[in-house]
Amino acid sequence: MIFSILDLIRKKRDQQELTSEEIFRLVEGVVMDAIPDYQLSAFLMAIYFAGMTPGETALLTAAMAVSGDQLDLGHIAIPKVDKHSTGGVGDKVSLVLAPVVAACGAAVPMISGRGLGHTGGTVDKLESIPGFRTDLSLAETAQLVQKIGVAMAAQTERLAPADRKLYALRGVTATVESLPLITASILSKKFAEDLDALVMDIKVGNGAFMKTLPDARALASSIRAVAVANGLRCQTLITRMDAPLGRRIGNWLEVCEAVRMLRGQEQPPLIFQVTIALAAACLTAAGIASSHEEGVARATAAITDGSGYQVFLRMVEEQGGDVRAVESAIEPPPDEIILSDRSGWIAEIDAMQLGLMAIEAGAGRKILSEPIDHEAGIILYRHVGEYVEQGQPLCGVVIRRNAAAINPAELRAAFRIAEHPQPATEIVVERN
């Protein structure tokens, strides 16, 4: 068979199904850098509009999973579990969950990504810790997981390398929200992690890639189907992303908030609830807890007794990070404070808008080559359900570059203020 990327672009454009050989040859071409970015971008856009069949999605996932090296954790006797989120604003769940779950007796080989679109990336957050290494080799990751129970690393050059290339292109070609591409991207890396179990956090709402509950359910179903078909135990939670998680948006700001959570000093309602629920799911999926209630109790205890925080500090030390900087967790002061123009109850906070504004402040990338300012971000002084007086602060912005890009009126407009308090909604929508 003569391979032609142009033929594949044309076939997907015309909603035709690709064969197994075509998909594996495509992935091989991606890994070999034999396909120009402009043609891969066209192919991704064709998938975005035409979709893929379940069979195509499973084949793409499998091809990407075996496109490079794989993590070998066969020598680790305890259950190996990971959590992955589809991405949100202010989502620092992994920073708390990974050491907490490890403190409860699981092995957590967490290989994470960088910021994608308006959402932050766990790797970017970790790299805001001075000296912290996320560029671990697979051997180093395995050794660290065996030694302390957890490692948090970036995707290596050789782990699912096809995904590494496609993931980067998706972020700058407006093709992030494609269900088959999301499924293949997530699970190709997880299949390569040598896991016993996986917990998926599917975000839904205005700040998520899945805007509606039917879309979130479709992704959860797709993830479970492809995972189970390949022998990986998988639980999915659908959680709300209509407002930022926690009170900090931005890399170092979120690390500081996560540290305070691990110490038990703060329990911001939305972020704390979803973190404990996902940690409990990890413990039940791994067989460490026999019920969701037991998982919640054990995860909460790992925060209360400080064992999760101690695991986090040890991970920082083992991965070259400055432990003293983490222990002090000093936040930069805001360069601009946005005041409320009215009194009332915070009914909504537009997570998408604040995520985009955080990028403008320097906390994220618009193009692949753009550097990140790890200190930049947004501090929320009022959150959903809280009362604010006219003239009181809504949020502060830490800006270290391009300050002119920040429009106070746009930030203020992200907060919807009502005359009366609004009924609270559960952040965990469904568990399957």
Side-chain angles (χ1 to χ4, degrees):
M1 171 186 171
I2 299 175
F3 174 77
S4 168
I5 181 62
L6 187 60
D7 288 342
L8 269 60
I9 295 170
R10 188 180 293 112
K11 284 185 72 172
K12 288 316 304 174
R13 180 199 68 189
D14 297 339
Q15 300 184 346
Q16 297 177 35
E17 187 168 358
L18 303 181
T19 67
S20 173
E21 183 176 0
E22 286 172 330
I23 289 173
F24 275 81
R25 292 286 298 277
L26 167 76
V27 171
E28 182 182 47
V30 171
V31 175
M32 299 293 291
D33 283 327
I35 305 173
D37 283 358
Y38 60 84
Q39 287 187 311
L40 281 179
S41 298
F43 181 73
L44 293 172
M45 189 61 73
I47 291 176
Y48 179 86
F49 283 111
M52 299 185 91
T53 67
E56 284 179 304
T57 303
L59 285 169
L60 179 61
T61 305
M64 290 165 58
V66 298
S67 65
D69 299 336
Q70 299 195 14
L71 188 62
D72 181 5
L73 301 176
H75 58 289
I76 297 178
I78 60 177
K80 299 171 283 291
V81 63
D82 193 4
K83 184 278 305 180
H84 187 85
S85 168
T86 55
V89 177
D91 183 359
K92 70 280 298 176
V93 167
S94 292
L95 301 180
V96 179
L97 177 145
V100 163
V101 172
C104 291
V108 188
M110 187 171 284
I111 296 177
S112 302
R114 299 188 182 278
L116 188 63
H118 66 282
T119 67
T122 298
V123 169
D124 295 324
K125 301 182 207 304
L126 290 167
E127 288 181 350
S128 72
I129 300 172
F132 193 98
R133 283 188 57 216
T134 62
D135 61 338
L136 302 180
S137 68
L138 294 181
E140 287 175 313
T141 298
Q143 290 168 3
L144 191 54
V145 172
Q146 183 175 35
K147 185 175 183 180
I148 65 173
V150 62
M152 300 183 74
Q155 186 176 347
T156 69
E157 294 275 346
R158 291 299 305 159
L159 186 137
D163 174 67
R164 184 183 180 89
K165 179 66 174 290
L166 296 178
Y167 186 95
L169 283 176
R170 286 168 56 214
V172 293
T173 57
T175 56
V176 169
E177 297 90 340
S178 166
L179 188 149
L181 292 177
I182 293 172
T183 300
S185 176
I186 292 168
L187 290 182
S188 62
K189 295 190 288 284
K190 301 311 168 187
F191 290 166
E193 281 183 26
D194 196 14
L195 298 174
D196 296 314
L198 171 68
V199 170
M200 275 299 306
D201 177 16
I202 312 292
K203 301 292 188 189
V204 63
N206 75 65
F209 294 121
M210 300 292 113
K211 303 299 183 188
T212 68
L213 187 54
D215 285 345
R217 285 171 172 157
L219 178 58
S221 178
S222 177
I223 292 282
R224 287 197 305 273
V226 175
V228 171
N230 286 272
L232 178 63
R233 295 198 302 274
C234 182
Q235 290 190 23
T236 58
L237 280 74
I238 297 176
T239 65
R240 296 191 187 280
M241 179 38 65
D242 291 315
L245 291 175
R247 296 181 181 273
R248 301 295 186 270
I249 305 168
N251 300 293
W252 176 245
L253 292 174
E254 292 187 43
V255 168
C256 293
E257 186 171 36
V259 165
R260 293 192 293 271
M261 288 176 62
L262 281 165
R263 288 173 178 163
Q265 295 170 325
E266 292 183 11
Q267 293 184 355
L270 297 180
I271 184 73
F272 189 79
Q273 290 168 19
V274 75
T275 300
I276 294 299
L278 288 164
C282 287
L283 295 174
T284 55
I288 291 174
S290 59
S291 67
H292 178 72
E293 291 72 23
E294 181 187 348
V296 168
R298 295 190 66 161
T300 303
I303 292 177
T304 302
D305 65 18
S307 58
Y309 180 51
Q310 292 306 313
V311 171
F312 182 77
L313 289 179
R314 190 169 181 200
M315 179 187 71
V316 170
E317 182 178 23
E318 291 285 345
Q319 294 189 226
D322 186 338
V323 174
R324 289 176 298 179
V326 169
E327 289 180 316
S328 59
I330 299 173
E331 294 183 352
D335 298 291
E336 185 165 357
I337 294 178
I338 309 302
L339 304 179
S340 178
D341 59 3
R342 71 194 72 179
S343 299
W345 298 86
I346 307 296
E348 294 179 6
I349 300 178
D350 190 329
M352 172 70 83
Q353 179 70 2
L354 289 188
L356 294 173
M357 295 298 287
I359 291 175
E360 294 292 341
R365 302 176 185 85
K366 296 178 185 176
I367 58 174
L368 288 176
S369 60
E370 190 172 20
I372 280 182
D373 181 344
H374 285 118
E375 287 195 336
I378 297 173
I379 300 170
L380 300 182
Y381 297 118
R382 295 292 187 277
H383 216 294
V384 173
E386 297 176 348
Y387 187 79
V388 63
E389 294 277 0
Q390 182 177 0
Q392 287 184 331
L394 289 170
C395 66
V397 189
V398 180
I399 313 167
R400 294 293 180 264
R401 67 172 193 238
N402 200 21
I406 298 300
N407 184 333
E410 290 183 5
L411 278 168
R412 192 175 292 109
F415 294 78
R416 187 173 73 82
I417 300 175
E419 293 183 5
H420 305 287
Q422 307 295 298
T425 57
E426 290 292 326
I427 190 166
V428 178
V429 181
E430 293 179 359
R431 289 200 311 269
N432 290 293

